[in-house]
Amino acid sequence: MKLIFEKGAPGQHLTLMPPCDVPEVKLSHPRTEPLDLPHVSETELTRHYTALAKRVHGVNDGFYPLGSCTMKYNPKINEDMAALPGFTQIHPLQPEETVQGCLEVFHESEKLLGEITGMDAMTFQPAAGAHGEFTGLLLIKAYHAHRNDAARTKIIVPDSAHGTNPASAVMAGFTVVNIPSSEDGCVDVEALRKAVGPDTAGLMLTNPNTVGIFDKNILEITRIVHDAGGLCYYDGANLNAVMGVVRPGDMGFDVIHLNLHKTFSTPHGGGGPGSGAVGCKEFLRCFLPGPVVTRDESGYHMVSPEHSIGRIKDFYGNFLVVVRALTYVLTLGREGIPEAAKNAVLNANYMMKLLSEKYAMAYAGPCMHEFVMTLTDLHDGTGVSAMDIAKGLLDHGIHPPTMYFPLIVHEALMIEPTETESQETMDEVCKVFLELWDLAHENPQALHDAPTKTPVRRLDEVGAARNPVLRYTKG
Ligand SMILES: *Cc1c(COP(=O)(O)O)cnc(C)c1O
């Protein structure tokens, strides 16, 4: 497929700019050569993007069980709300009295998401989950620094954590202490007991963890960390499994981040705007990034908390993602939120059960919102790998599950159906999975050759990672 720069010809054009309605200003260093922009008509531009869109697989195209990413259906009412001119036709530097409605969105979202998580305060500045982790860890760091406790330099991270957890801890200037999981996929409590001490700044727990298990020792885990003087961080990107059912704030956690673009239903996966909202307990409120929204008799105001860690992003974060999240919470309501979580768990267990007919599970069920299969036996017996099965799914219009993650499971496929898939869809998808298993035994070569029906065949992924071509040279 041609790039937009390779299409069109000089003379073809479209005009998208409205007439200038402000005084013109002379630039001190104007460009001396014209910009090298594509010369295409509006028709051609539209066709170009439509062709690109057809090559992409999204939740509106078909099943998308990308574990840990919560690729659920995003209700279109969210988009209607996020497109309202009162939310889009504003400027971030407008005086606060002219954007009271927008500030109310933040204030209401803080209240409702605080209720769902059991937290007292929240910032919406972080632009993604990992960004939220970084922010939350800086709160923990500020807390210890404020108490003049310089010895607390270590963050404990179980090996079943999401990969961003140790990375964020290092970014925030901590040393990571890795602790193993026990047989059942939960934190090894004895290993945790040994790991904590006067140098413990905190623990980061992904819960449900990356193998889809809710840690049964969670209360003991937070107690051990608190007794040692550390704080507890809850990676709540997987809140889809528990929202409205249990609250991290009640389990002893002090800080949490949410992935509004996963659980609270904003389209994601294409690198678009996200929101890694960070919630905390009252005693950490004074460290939150500024500005935060407060309310008094005269209305809503933006203030910087007393000991703020400073800005984490320009302005207030990705505001329209918060509008979508608030819309989602208000449409589902008190009954709908836990119902969505329970259905997410039910769907995952339904698929886990159907697939257990042939596929080996990494951990015995029941699972939470996702489960992990291990294809080592299939690989040893037939030479067909988890990668081959994933590529085989592509020929059936199914997006592959997360592959080779978590690292603690070999030949892993991690499946998260989400609550928005019907039983019929899951039945069909499971049928395909089971047929691929049979095909692996009958004709493994067919799976090594997959995919055959996609716009491109199997790509050299190692080459793409090792020798990436990141610059486009014209001509
Ligand atoms: C997706 C995810 C993250 C990272 O979120 P991003 O928005 O991709 O930065 C962190 N933790 C868990 C458990 C996740 O599933």
Side-chain angles (χ1 to χ4, degrees):
M1 185 175 161
K2 278 189 179 170
L3 299 180
I4 190 75
F5 286 95
E6 295 161 344
K7 290 186 173 169
Q12 290 188 13
H13 69 283
L14 71 161
T15 310
L16 291 175
M17 297 289 277
C20 180
D21 60 356
V22 290
E24 284 191 30
V25 189
K26 272 241 173 310
L27 296 176
S28 50
H29 298 289
R31 175 180 286 281
T32 51
E33 284 166 33
L35 261 184
D36 191 10
L37 295 174
H39 296 267
V40 290
S41 65
E42 189 165 338
T43 319
E44 216 164 343
L45 186 72
T46 307
R47 284 188 185 147
H48 179 73
Y49 282 106
T50 305
L52 281 177
K54 281 185 183 163
R55 292 188 155 211
V56 172
H57 184 96
V59 281
N60 293 347
D61 294 297
F63 197 62
Y64 205 142
L66 194 66
S68 212
C69 295
T70 312
M71 305 304 287
K72 60 162 116 175
Y73 172 74
N74 305 289
K76 298 303 169 256
I77 187 175
N78 298 355
E79 297 306 312
D80 292 344
M81 295 306 114
L84 289 175
F87 293 142
T88 55
Q89 305 291 314
I90 52 169
H91 193 280
L93 294 176
Q94 247 172 270
E96 62 186 28
E97 62 273 17
T98 65
V99 286
Q100 286 290 302
C102 299
L103 300 189
E104 187 179 352
V105 167
F106 281 125
H107 203 255
E108 275 300 294
S109 304
E110 180 181 21
K111 197 177 90 194
L112 293 175
L113 293 171
E115 199 173 316
I116 290 171
T117 54
M119 295 291 162
D120 302 312
M122 195 166 272
T123 171
F124 295 97
Q125 267 193 24
H131 199 189
E133 293 169 26
F134 177 65
T135 308
L137 287 161
L138 290 185
L139 297 182
I140 293 179
K141 199 173 185 176
Y143 167 77
H144 291 307
H146 195 68
R147 297 166 39 255
N148 294 318
D149 192 345
R152 299 198 177 268
T153 55
K154 294 188 175 153
I155 292 284
I156 299 168
V157 182
D159 64 3
S160 59
H162 194 265
T164 49
N165 292 183
S168 301
V170 171
M171 283 268 294
F174 291 107
T175 309
V176 172
V177 180
N178 213 292
I179 54 165
S181 306
S182 48
E183 288 277 282
D184 56 3
C186 295
V187 169
D188 181 336
V189 174
E190 284 321 305
L192 175 63
R193 240 186 265 284
K194 289 204 190 88
V196 295
D199 58 357
T200 303
L203 163 92
M204 273 186 108
L205 196 75
T206 303
N207 190 65
N209 63 20
T210 54
V211 294
I213 291 174
F214 188 104
D215 206 301
K216 62 179 193 294
N217 303 313
I218 200 127
L219 294 175
E220 196 178 352
I221 290 169
T222 53
R223 196 176 324 118
I224 292 170
V225 176
H226 281 156
D227 286 350
L231 298 188
C232 296
Y233 183 101
Y234 191 98
D235 178 335
N238 293 337
L239 206 76
N240 211 45
V242 299
M243 59 176 179
V245 181
V246 284
R247 311 195 313 165
D250 299 337
M251 302 171 206
F253 287 88
D254 308 293
V255 193
I256 182 176
H257 86 264
L258 301 174
N259 276 32
L260 299 188
H261 47 292
K262 289 179 181 169
T263 312
F264 297 95
S265 160
T266 275
H268 64 288
S275 177
V278 171
C280 66
K281 286 288 170 101
E282 194 55 46
F283 71 99
L284 292 171
R285 184 195 288 270
C286 59
F287 302 113
L288 282 175
V292 292
V293 177
T294 59
R295 184 184 188 182
D296 62 19
E297 321 75 63
S298 65
Y300 297 97
H301 307 284
M302 282 179 286
V303 295
S304 192
E306 193 184 354
H307 305 293
S308 174
I309 56 168
R311 267 182 197 276
I312 282 295
K313 194 183 180 306
D314 43 352
F315 305 116
Y316 325 105
N318 289 321
F319 172 60
L320 295 176
V321 180
V322 183
V323 173
R324 290 183 181 93
L326 180 61
T327 308
Y328 183 74
V329 172
L330 290 176
T331 11
L332 264 68
R334 205 175 273 280
E335 288 81 36
I337 291 282
E339 193 183 333
K342 287 175 190 169
N343 283 331
V345 173
L346 180 63
N347 277 2
N349 279 287
Y350 182 71
M351 280 195 73
M352 186 181 193
K353 179 86 180 98
L354 290 187
L355 294 179
S356 311
E357 186 190 325
K358 291 188 172 152
Y359 289 88
M361 297 298 151
Y363 298 92
C367 61
M368 292 299 288
H369 62 303
E370 64 191 5
F371 60 94
V372 182
M373 312 199 291
T374 170
L375 276 61
T376 351
D377 287 348
L378 182 72
H379 191 221
D380 292 348
T382 65
V384 169
S385 62
M387 172 76 88
D388 293 329
I389 296 288
K391 298 294 181 193
L393 290 168
L394 288 173
D395 281 335
H396 294 268
I398 298 170
H399 193 286
T402 297
M403 305 179 295
Y404 298 100
F405 183 83
L407 303 176
I408 48 177
V409 178
H410 295 291
E411 290 296 326
L413 286 182
M414 180 204 249
I415 298 179
E416 178 182 11
T418 84
E419 72 280 13
T420 57
E421 294 301 334
S422 68
Q423 186 174 2
E424 290 70 27
T425 304
M426 291 189 291
D427 285 343
E428 271 168 41
V429 169
C430 288
K431 196 164 147 260
V432 171
F433 264 101
L434 297 172
E435 281 168 11
L436 292 179
W437 172 277
D438 293 337
L439 186 60
H441 292 84
E442 290 151 17
N443 182 4
Q445 192 56 42
L447 282 168
H448 298 319
D449 291 342
T452 58
K453 297 180 192 156
T454 44
V456 288
R457 297 285 300 273
R458 204 176 286 212
L459 299 169
D460 176 3
E461 290 173 16
V462 176
R466 294 278 185 274
N467 307 304
V469 182
L470 301 175
R471 174 172 294 187
Y472 170 65
T473 316
K474 202 165 179 180

